[in-house]
Amino acid sequence: MTHIKFNQSPVPRTFGGLVEDILNGGFNKLVKDDFLTSDFFTTYPPVNIVETPEAFLLEVAAPGFSKEDFKISAAEKTISISAEKKEAVKNESDKQVRREFNFKSFKRSFSISDVVDANKINAKYENGILKVTLGKKENNQDSPKEIVVE
């Protein structure tokens, strides 16, 4: 199974532009604009992929979601995992003093090989980790073959 890579880095700046930003807006503005307010770190959740003799295991770190927020679909040679958090009902009488976290939607897609059996895909969400098991087809390994050097 291979991972489809995304390039979501901010637009590269010239050295002169960086120096000008630091001198005019200060280093705090530069860091805030590039890393804290943009989706630099929060665009895609981190994923671990493990292969066992029986299956591929995907572990998606997605804390704060519920199992109803996830949508997983498998089509041809791709599996897509997405999540969208519904906005909580706000009480108008409560005044929010500070808000440091929020939940963003995401979608990740992975290429899957022919050895994955679509009928053996299951998912479980617990403790902020979505665990997707992609079972392998039975008897998919070719018998070892000896190659004669001529």
Side-chain angles (χ1 to χ4, degrees):
M1 178 163 41
T2 57
H3 175 237
I4 299 173
K5 294 185 178 185
F6 297 94
N7 186 3
Q8 286 293 107
S9 60
V11 177
R13 297 181 184 193
T14 63
F15 180 73
L18 261 172
V19 171
E20 188 175 310
D21 283 347
I22 291 171
L23 294 176
N24 291 336
F27 186 72
N28 289 338
K29 181 183 182 313
L30 176 70
V31 171
K32 180 179 178 232
D33 288 348
D34 283 349
F35 297 105
L36 299 179
T37 58
S38 70
D39 290 339
F40 189 78
F41 293 111
T42 59
T43 303
Y44 302 106
V47 175
N48 293 334
I49 302 173
V50 177
E51 182 178 5
T52 67
E54 299 83 28
F56 292 100
L57 306 171
L58 278 80
E59 295 178 325
V60 181
F65 289 93
S66 64
K67 64 181 182 179
E68 293 81 20
D69 296 332
F70 292 100
K71 181 181 177 188
I72 302 171
S73 62
E76 294 187 22
K77 295 187 177 200
T78 304
I79 185 165
S80 296
I81 301 170
S82 61
E84 184 175 355
K85 183 80 172 169
K86 305 295 185 232
E87 194 67 34
V89 178
K90 296 179 182 178
N91 189 347
E92 294 298 323
S93 64
D94 293 341
K95 178 182 173 188
Q96 186 164 356
V97 177
R98 185 177 192 135
R99 182 176 180 92
E100 290 188 351
F101 64 90
N102 58 18
F103 303 100
K104 298 191 181 224
S105 61
F106 70 86
K107 181 173 184 179
R108 300 236 12 212
S109 296
F110 303 91
S111 297
I112 54 178
S113 67
D114 293 332
V115 299
V116 173
D117 187 352
N119 296 322
K120 293 183 179 179
I121 298 175
N122 58 42
K124 185 176 184 179
Y125 181 69
E126 61 184 3
N127 300 326
I129 306 290
L130 175 66
K131 298 177 181 180
V132 181
T133 305
L134 307 167
K136 293 181 178 179
K137 294 178 182 174
E138 304 272 335
N139 300 326
N140 60 354
Q141 296 180 355
D142 294 333
S143 58
K145 170 162 105 165
E146 192 171 317
I147 308 296
V148 178
V149 178
E150 297 179 23

